[in-house]
Amino acid sequence: MKQDRPNYIVVEGPIGVGKTTLAKKKLAKTFNTDLLLEGAEENPFYRVFIMIQRMQLYQHSFSFFFNVQDKLKY
């Protein structure tokens, strides 16, 4: 009996949640098929996402610094 397989699987979601890892390491191997990925340069939200990530990293760095300073005794 022939097992029906999907012609396409689309994985959608926010940037950075592991969609590409899932597609590369599990889906393509499981179904023994080619993988078609969207390039980051094609995503209009990618640059904004990176900018927000950098701003958040900057804020977290300051937060960490001030928390450490509060715990140090001079």
Side-chain angles (χ1 to χ4, degrees), residues 1-3 8 14 17-18 20 22-23 29 33 36 38 40-41 45 50-51 53 55 59-60 68-69 71-73:
M1 179 177 199
K2 182 182 172 190
Q3 183 180 3
Y8 300 96
V17 297
T20 302
L22 171 69
K29 287 183 181 180
T33 188
L36 175 63
E38 170 192 56
E41 63 279 354
F45 300 105
I50 295 299
M51 187 173 58
Q53 289 287 70
M55 289 177 1
Q59 292 168 349
H60 288 297
V68 169
Q69 291 299 315
K71 293 177 183 176
L72 291 176
K73 295 182 181 179

Side-chain angles (χ1 to χ4, degrees), residues 53-66:
Q53 289 287 70
R54 287 181 180 161
M55 289 177 1
Q56 289 175 342
L57 179 61
Y58 184 72
Q59 292 168 349
H60 288 297
S61 297
F62 270 104
S63 175
F64 175 78
F65 173 76
F66 288 122

